[in-house]
Amino acid sequence: MVADGRPRPGDPLDPDAAISVRGLVKRYGDRTAVDGLDLDIRRGEIFALLGPNGAGKTTTVEVLEGYRRRDGGEVRVLGVDPARGGRRWKAELGIVLQSGAGDSQLSVRELLEARASYYADPRDPGEVLELVGLTERAGARGRTLSGGQRRRLDVALGIVGRPRLLFLDEPTTGFDPEARRQFWALIRSLRDLGTTMLLTTHYLDEAEALADRVGVLARGQLAEVAVPTALGGRGSAPAVVSWTEDGARRTAETATPTAFVRDLAARFPGEVPDLAVSRPTLEDVYLKMIGGPDE
Amino acid sequence: MSAPALPSLTRVYGTRARVELREFFRQRESVVFTLAFPVLLLLALGAVLDYDLGAGVGFPQYFMAGVITAGIVGASLQNMAIHIAGERSDGTLKSLAGTPMPASAYFAGKVVQVLAVAVATIVLLLGVGVLVYGIDLPSGGDWLTFAWVSVLGAAACTLLGIAVSTLCRTGRSASATVTPIALVLEFVSGVFLPFDQVPGWLQDVAAVFPVKWLAQGLRSVFLPDALAAQEPAGSWELGRVALVLGAWCVLGLVLCVLTFRWQDRDTR
Ligand SMILES: Nc1ncnc2c1ncn2[C@@H]1O[C@H](COP(=O)(O)OP(=O)(O)OP(=O)(O)O)[C@@H](O)[C@H]1O
Ligand SMILES: [Mg+2]
């Protein structure tokens, strides 16, 4: 295994991984949506799949969930080929689809109770409502929920079965900032319980806050897999130090920001005015990687 | 680590039955459309048409069999086609398919829904028939015929409805497709007017489909045997009713097994 934990094409499937993918290909007609994907996700890991619209995130995730047929490659999810996953296998999964869970006349609580009854050892629906912040809307019918509340219901339905592996396809679309923080806390508590998670998102701060590793999917291929702080060589990229001196804003690029700031501090009697040290943000390296506006 | 056992089938069937009953009876449009439509039909046509069919049988007595046929077809064929197409296009089915719920539980829930809706419709129709038109209720062994003809007809139409749902992209397009087809079938099957007034060639067309046999079986329940002479074969042909409806059940089941999808074809 290489440092980023990424298998090479042709490596055997990893039997210990929660998810192991080799050479995955998926075509729609003559368009290739996923073009030779290799990936291992460890048990207990949170993996975030990033990528622009149409990159193939949903396609990949839905192949892993057993919804879409692959045109090539090998896939194991919890040791099972998703194309052949049965009831027992599905009982270990939690799925939050990008497209949501459909319409219903049932109340939020009834929906959760019904869903819980399909599983061997479900979470208490009341607790799950609390976790996603829907307790006050427990009696409401799905169609009367706001967009963000609906999405929280999708998340609730995804976790009520106490999954070992949770798929989250853009789970926080439409969440307000507070709901998003609450969701992050929920994800962290699920991680502490050992839940493996595959998450897709367009919010880079979300990937950075939650993921052990992120993968950037572009044009059906994984451009890079790394821990969030190292993506795109971010960890070793020159830092930018900026401060105010003689009434003017100064900036300097340096590979040794600690030494630079020490020297800087020696020039000033007290605080260095408006001192800031920054690295390229995840967004900077991400946009560069997917061939964003700069290129 | 050995995983705890999945819940028993009976438990999941129970959940699905409750879900399906709530889904149906809480949706005002489907209740009005499915339950009230045959009742309104009975009241409207019963008030307008009033002729004697011989043997002292008035139109309302004749029409009971027809309107109950329409009620059963509405509760099964139309209800299944429209709502399952809707559940497929809005992602409900896809979402269920990602859970350990067994597929059989989904269909068990639908069966309970159809039975409940059909029984409710029939009870309503019989009540209105007796109170408003003073129709004669079936007697003795006719109840048994009533039961098996209704169950067999509902089963065939349910299976066909499930199969048809796969052909329609949305609940709305299913409604636009299935409703006129059902009405035409009912019309040529002698639901709205005496079957012997339907032209001969149309009778032959109708005889291919289950609706005519359902209606004919129900006529044997509500009409005196003297009127059997007005049937094309000169008798109620209950054996053939059972045979044709049974054959449609088999065909419907095969179609369902071959065509049923948990998601839109183009999302796979
Ligand atoms: N059912 C389908 N039929 C045909 N083409 C499809 C289908 N689903 C996806 N595609 C195409 O495959 C490509 C990948 O789509 P996918 O939905 O996987 O992207 P995504 O990364 O999830 O995008 P987004 O961020 O917008 O959700 C796109 O070009 C899309 O148009
Ligand atoms: Mg997507």
Side-chain angles (χ1 to χ4, degrees):
Chain A
M1 225 185 222
V2 287
D4 59 6
R6 207 172 153 186
R8 296 173 191 285
D11 279 358
L13 287 163
D14 181 351
D16 295 327
I19 295 177
S20 192
V21 181
R22 295 295 179 274
L24 175 64
V25 175
K26 172 70 186 179
R27 294 188 200 93
Y28 299 108
D30 52 9
R31 153 182 285 160
T32 303
V34 180
D35 190 9
L37 190 93
D38 299 288
L39 180 64
D40 285 330
I41 297 177
R42 293 187 306 272
R43 292 187 187 249
E45 179 172 19
I46 301 182
F47 191 95
L49 204 50
L50 307 177
N53 292 140
K57 301 181 297 295
T58 297
T59 299
T60 303
V61 170
E62 293 202 356
V63 166
L64 302 180
E65 292 162 345
Y67 283 117
R68 304 193 192 208
R69 283 178 300 225
R70 60 182 186 267
D71 296 300
E74 279 302 313
V75 178
R76 292 292 178 275
V77 173
L78 299 178
V80 172
D81 180 345
R84 285 183 246 293
R87 261 186 97 192
R88 293 217 145 272
W89 177 70
K90 284 181 188 167
E92 311 270 12
L93 307 182
I95 296 177
V96 177
L97 293 168
Q98 181 169 13
S99 49
D103 224 357
S104 176
Q105 299 292 328
L106 269 56
S107 73
V108 168
R109 173 179 291 281
E110 288 169 337
L111 278 171
L112 271 179
E113 284 170 349
R115 181 65 66 95
S117 78
Y118 309 149
Y119 293 87
D121 179 28
R123 295 195 157 88
D124 174 54
E127 267 167 41
V128 173
L129 284 176
E130 195 69 46
L131 283 174
V132 300
L134 272 183
T135 307
E136 266 145 48
R137 303 291 283 146
R141 299 208 186 159
R143 58 174 65 226
T144 67
L145 297 179
S146 75
Q149 289 171 341
R150 234 166 214 260
R151 204 61 189 138
R152 295 196 224 175
L153 172 60
D154 290 335
V155 172
L157 289 169
I159 64 172
V160 75
R162 209 183 290 279
R164 278 209 289 153
L165 170 60
L166 179 59
F167 293 99
L168 298 153
D169 197 355
E170 296 191 26
T172 57
T173 305
F175 279 30
D176 63 47
E178 193 194 337
R180 223 142 65 82
R181 293 301 162 128
Q182 198 183 0
F183 170 80
W184 292 3
L186 166 63
I187 295 302
R188 290 185 179 119
S189 69
L190 291 176
R191 183 218 330 251
D192 294 342
L193 295 170
T195 313
T196 311
M197 282 171 267
L198 173 54
L199 165 86
T200 79
T201 181
H202 290 294
Y203 300 110
L204 298 167
D205 57 337
E206 188 161 289
E208 190 159 22
L210 295 177
D212 298 310
R213 285 188 305 155
V214 297
V216 177
L217 198 58
R219 291 168 288 276
Q221 295 187 318
L222 268 179
E224 190 176 339
V225 174
V227 297
T229 47
L231 196 76
R234 212 177 136 205
S236 53
V240 176
V241 180
S242 56
W243 69 98
T244 303
E245 192 167 7
D246 303 333
R249 192 79 187 141
R250 306 283 178 89
T251 61
E253 264 193 20
T254 167
T256 54
T258 311
F260 189 91
V261 169
R262 201 187 302 118
D263 294 344
L264 199 59
R267 303 221 305 267
F268 290 88
E271 284 293 305
V272 180
D274 306 323
L275 175 68
V277 180
S278 65
R279 304 252 181 205
T281 64
L282 186 55
E283 188 158 296
D284 294 334
V285 298
Y286 170 76
L287 288 174
K288 205 163 173 183
M289 202 171 291
I290 63 171
D294 305 357
E295 316 228 333
Chain B
M1 191 180 87
S2 78
L6 284 170
S8 69
L9 281 185
T10 31
R11 169 131 194 267
V12 184
Y13 282 25
T15 301
R16 288 308 308 175
R18 275 194 300 281
V19 168
E20 293 291 358
L21 291 177
R22 287 171 176 160
E23 292 283 7
F24 183 90
F25 286 101
R26 283 181 189 175
Q27 193 173 2
R28 197 171 304 131
E29 308 91 81
S30 65
V31 172
V32 170
F33 185 75
T34 313
L35 277 166
F37 177 69
V39 174
L40 291 176
L41 213 58
L42 176 60
L43 289 173
L45 289 194
V48 177
L49 303 176
D50 184 24
Y51 42 87
D52 189 18
L53 286 104
V57 174
F59 183 76
Q61 182 73 35
Y62 177 87
F63 194 40
M64 279 315 292
V67 82
I68 289 178
T69 301
I72 290 175
V73 170
S76 53
L77 180 78
Q78 285 156 277
N79 177 20
M80 288 299 99
I82 293 166
H83 289 116
I84 296 181
E87 289 183 326
R88 189 177 292 109
S89 67
D90 77 12
T92 302
L93 286 186
K94 182 172 182 176
S95 174
L96 283 175
T99 74
M101 179 201 75
S104 65
Y106 176 74
F107 297 108
K110 290 293 184 197
V111 167
V112 170
Q113 187 193 63
V114 169
L115 283 178
V117 176
V119 167
T121 311
I122 290 171
V123 168
L124 259 177
L125 287 171
L126 290 179
V128 172
V130 168
L131 292 179
V132 179
Y133 298 109
I135 58 128
D136 297 324
L137 287 177
S139 56
D142 281 346
W143 283 108
L144 189 66
T145 314
F146 192 7
W148 74 253
V149 169
S150 302
V151 167
L152 207 55
C157 289
T158 300
L159 290 162
L160 282 177
I162 296 172
V164 168
S165 78
T166 314
L167 301 176
C168 304
R169 205 151 273 279
T170 64
R172 197 167 301 168
S173 76
S175 178
T177 316
V178 175
T179 310
I181 292 178
L183 278 175
V184 169
L185 278 182
E186 286 163 7
F187 201 79
V188 302
S189 300
V191 162
F192 303 119
L193 73 178
F195 191 53
D196 58 4
Q197 291 180 14
V198 175
W201 67 273
L202 267 183
Q203 289 187 3
D204 295 340
V205 172
V208 176
F209 297 98
V211 178
K212 118 120 197 183
W213 299 96
L214 174 57
Q216 186 169 321
L218 291 178
R219 283 199 291 276
S220 84
V221 172
F222 285 93
L223 299 182
D225 285 339
L227 283 189
Q230 294 180 12
E231 296 294 324
S235 76
W236 299 123
E237 297 181 283
L238 285 181
R240 181 164 289 185
V241 168
L243 211 66
V244 177
L245 290 180
W248 273 100
C249 285
V250 173
L251 180 69
L253 185 64
V254 170
L255 285 176
C256 286
V257 170
L258 291 180
T259 63
F260 193 80
R261 301 262 178 283
W262 293 94
Q263 35 182 328
D264 277 337
R265 192 180 299 272
D266 60 4
T267 66
R268 311 182 78 223

